[in-house]
Amino acid sequence: MDSIIFDLDGTLWDSLDTVLEAWNEALEESGAEKTLTKEDVRGVMGLQAHEIREKLFPHLSDEQHRKFEELSSELESAYVRKRGGQLFDDVEHVLEQLSQKYNLYIVSNCQDGYIESFYAYHKLDEHFVDFENPGRTGLSKGENIQLVMERNNVERAVYVGDTKGDHKAAKEAGLPFVYAAYGFGDVDEFDYVIDEFKELLNLFG
């Protein structure tokens, strides 16, 4: 194995509070009457934009949703860059150790600018070789994993994530899946499971 590819939300950090604030502000400015809860946002972490709309915003008109998407994307990246999120225990230390042996990547179902804001706040970009997201490519997570592998000549990798969508993406890309059981999702099928981030060192250290 030469590489480890990570999901972001629920795998490397928890940014729910920051994202919730941004989304509710965007909803208010879009003229929507709905206010989201933390559990609402937790329930859609890892989904792509069209899936989030189907689950949370079926009541919004096309115009309201377009305005919400524009505002939430702008506010979310700005808030994350300024306030960050909560890294899971030992993330910095483990990434530093793993990056000495493997090439590390991030592939997340987020908008363009979100991963860059994660890098900016926590200063962890030095550990990663590349990243990708559907906000930049319009592709599914599985396709983005394959894209990152192709352009970086990755031969053998694993994908680390916390949701059923992450498992599906890893399967589509032909990779073993490491389930981060401490994250946001419940996953029944996996090749490896970790209850804490530092357990990656036991698997691959």
Side-chain angles (χ1 to χ4, degrees):
M1 189 177 80
D2 55 60
S3 302
I4 303 175
I5 307 173
F6 293 92
D7 171 53
L8 180 48
D9 294 319
T11 300
L12 297 177
W13 75 346
D14 178 348
S15 64
L16 283 177
D17 289 335
T18 305
V19 171
L20 177 63
E21 185 176 354
W23 284 16
N24 276 332
E25 185 174 330
L27 281 172
E28 184 177 353
E29 292 187 31
S30 302
E33 297 180 0
K34 183 181 177 87
T35 299
L36 299 174
T37 67
K38 193 170 181 177
E39 288 309 306
D40 288 331
V41 178
R42 181 187 297 274
V44 297
M45 281 293 186
L47 299 182
Q48 289 194 266
H50 70 280
E51 296 171 316
I52 293 173
R53 181 179 185 181
E54 290 172 4
K55 192 165 183 178
L56 291 184
F57 308 121
H59 61 291
L60 295 184
S61 67
D62 289 343
E63 176 60 24
Q64 283 179 317
H65 189 262
R66 182 195 61 78
K67 188 173 183 182
F68 166 75
E69 277 200 317
E70 290 178 357
L71 286 169
S72 63
S73 179
E74 179 182 332
L75 289 170
E76 188 176 315
S77 290
Y79 284 9
V80 167
R81 185 175 290 266
K82 183 178 180 181
R83 303 173 192 178
Q86 181 64 48
L87 291 177
F88 290 114
D89 290 345
D90 302 305
V91 162
E92 293 177 270
H93 169 70
V94 172
L95 289 177
E96 182 181 356
Q97 295 297 307
L98 291 175
S99 66
Q100 295 176 22
K101 189 173 180 180
Y102 305 100
N103 291 324
L104 308 183
Y105 305 89
I106 295 176
V107 175
S108 173
N109 272 345
C110 59
Q111 76 274 10
D112 193 20
Y114 186 80
I115 297 173
E116 294 93 323
S117 295
F118 165 76
Y119 283 164
Y121 188 84
H122 290 290
K123 312 298 183 189
L124 295 176
D125 50 303
E126 65 179 347
H127 301 308
F128 294 95
V129 177
D130 196 4
F131 68 88
E132 200 51 88
N133 59 76
R136 195 160 69 169
T137 67
L139 301 175
S140 71
K141 180 172 279 188
E143 291 170 326
N144 279 326
I145 292 172
Q146 291 174 317
L147 179 63
V148 163
M149 292 179 67
E150 288 168 5
R151 72 181 179 216
N152 292 283
N153 299 311
V154 174
E155 294 185 1
R156 294 180 63 236
V158 296
Y159 187 72
V160 185
D162 67 305
T163 67
K164 290 180 179 178
D166 291 333
H167 172 255
K168 179 183 176 183
K171 192 172 181 179
E172 288 175 354
L175 298 185
F177 177 61
V178 182
Y179 170 39
Y182 54 82
F184 300 142
D186 294 312
V187 182
D188 299 323
E189 297 181 60
F190 45 81
D191 298 285
Y192 308 93
V193 60
I194 54 173
D195 293 310
E196 296 178 287
F197 194 77
K198 65 183 179 183
E199 291 175 18
L200 285 172
L201 294 179
N202 297 333
L203 290 175
F204 309 119

